[in-house]
Amino acid sequence: MWDAKEYLKFADERSRPFADLLGQVRQQECRRIVDLGCGTGHLTLTLAERWPAARVTGVDQSAEMLAKATPLAIPHRLEFVQADIADWSADGPVDLLVSNAALHWLGDHRGLFTRLAGLLAPGGTLAVQMPNRFRTATQFAVEEATADPRWASRLQGVGLHRESVMPLTWYVDLLHDLGFAVNAWETTYVHVLTGENPVVEWLKGTGLRPLLERLEAEEQADFLRILSERLKADYPARGNTTLLPMPRVFFVATRYS
Ligand SMILES: C[S@@+](CC[C@H](N)C(=O)[O-])C[C@H]1O[C@@H](n2cnc3c(N)ncnc32)[C@H](O)[C@@H]1O
């Protein structure tokens, strides 16, 4: 279950990569746009504003996130659909397929990206951003907390892991082979967070959800305590601020005609 309120706590920090991704999309004319894993829909709305002639569809499987998105719908212009990206398919060729901070939740990236590439019209664009923190201290801390014998067997194989996102060149190679011109880059954003345990708060809005869901309330508190201790050591507070470096991969791939 996604918690929109928890996710939106860091709305400004989380929307910047979307703007940076869309800054590299050169497509002038778009009739059909899809936003995969659209979440609360606020960023999907900006796609409808930028391409006023397009029909825009936001796809997400979370009823909680879509409850925020649905009031933003505009008849014949912007709609939201509840579906799992793994088996969702477009109703016709797509000019722009966007996905911001969502596709790392899906497995089998070779199969997934091959299928998504096939949904694009000739000259169409696939624009993707994914967080790439799965070989950083945040992930190692989560792995350590997960390994506690009280719940290790229940949490084994659950949630995000070191292979959730492949090296960026892997995606570039795959998309080249599928007949795309690719503009790819990696950026580390340094988020300046405030408050008590802000790194745990950040993770609670995303990566920790599937793990916490499988724990009883008392276990959740213990899990978060273990994690907080480790993260406080890895990301020490400087007065009231804590710096969280967050690497992200981006690619904007355009299909040859
Ligand atoms: C981190 S949020 C990003 C939301 C939005 N794109 C943004 O940038 O604010 C990830 C979203 O992906 C959705 N998601 C994850 N796996 C999905 C799947 N298999 N099918 C559909 N949506 C999925 C989640 O429900 C969540 O709303």
Side-chain angles (χ1 to χ4, degrees):
M1 288 242 299
W2 280 81
D3 181 334
K5 197 165 141 243
E6 197 71 56
Y7 183 73
L8 288 172
K9 263 187 198 166
F10 298 101
D12 287 348
E13 289 85 351
R14 296 197 202 276
S15 61
R16 158 98 187 267
F18 180 89
D20 291 348
L21 177 69
L22 268 293
Q24 292 298 316
V25 174
R26 306 287 178 226
Q27 205 102 347
Q28 303 283 340
E29 302 289 316
C30 274
R31 276 168 300 148
R32 192 72 186 96
I33 300 177
V34 176
D35 182 5
L36 294 174
C38 63
T40 57
H42 294 90
L43 300 174
T44 320
L45 175 62
T46 68
L47 300 175
E49 288 165 351
R50 175 164 164 191
W51 285 280
R55 180 160 74 89
V56 181
T57 303
V59 177
D60 206 289
Q61 68 181 1
S62 160
E64 290 72 19
M65 294 298 236
L66 288 176
K68 292 265 178 209
T70 309
L72 304 176
I74 305 166
H76 312 297
R77 289 267 297 110
L78 173 62
E79 64 188 357
F80 294 96
V81 172
Q82 186 171 18
D84 185 342
I85 296 164
D87 43 50
W88 172 87
S89 193
D91 51 7
V94 178
D95 299 307
L96 174 60
L97 202 51
V98 175
S99 185
N100 187 56
L103 296 181
H104 56 298
W105 287 103
L106 286 97
D108 179 21
H109 274 194
R110 181 173 296 280
L112 173 68
F113 282 98
T114 302
R115 199 171 62 74
L116 296 181
L119 301 178
L120 285 162
T125 296
L126 174 68
V128 174
Q129 183 276 124
M130 295 181 283
N132 194 19
R133 58 158 194 81
F134 306 107
R135 287 178 195 82
T136 72
T138 55
Q139 182 64 19
F140 305 151
V142 171
E143 288 172 8
E144 188 179 292
T146 304
D148 188 292
R150 282 173 287 176
W151 45 68
S153 60
R154 268 178 289 154
L155 299 187
Q156 196 172 12
V158 173
L160 300 169
H161 51 82
R162 294 187 189 201
E163 262 74 52
S164 290
V165 173
M166 305 295 283
L168 183 53
T169 50
W170 185 93
Y171 296 99
V172 178
D173 279 341
L174 177 66
L175 289 163
H176 276 163
D177 290 349
L178 291 168
F180 284 72
V182 188
N183 168 12
W185 69 102
E186 271 184 280
T187 300
T188 298
Y189 296 86
V190 178
H191 298 304
V192 181
L193 306 180
T194 54
E196 222 9 55
N197 291 329
V199 181
V200 173
E201 290 302 314
W202 177 285
L203 294 173
K204 268 163 72 180
T206 57
L208 292 183
R209 290 174 316 91
L211 300 166
L212 294 175
E213 265 166 32
R214 284 170 173 78
L215 299 177
E216 302 299 333
E218 214 170 283
E219 293 175 324
Q220 287 184 7
D222 283 351
F223 181 96
L224 291 171
R225 196 163 30 247
I226 296 169
L227 189 58
S228 300
E229 274 166 28
R230 168 80 192 254
L231 288 173
K232 272 183 184 167
D234 289 334
Y235 301 91
R238 301 153 150 83
N240 191 37
T241 60
T242 302
L243 304 185
L244 173 63
M246 178 61 63
R248 295 180 182 271
V249 295
F250 299 76
F251 43 89
V252 173
T254 303
R255 185 175 169 171
Y256 293 116
S257 299

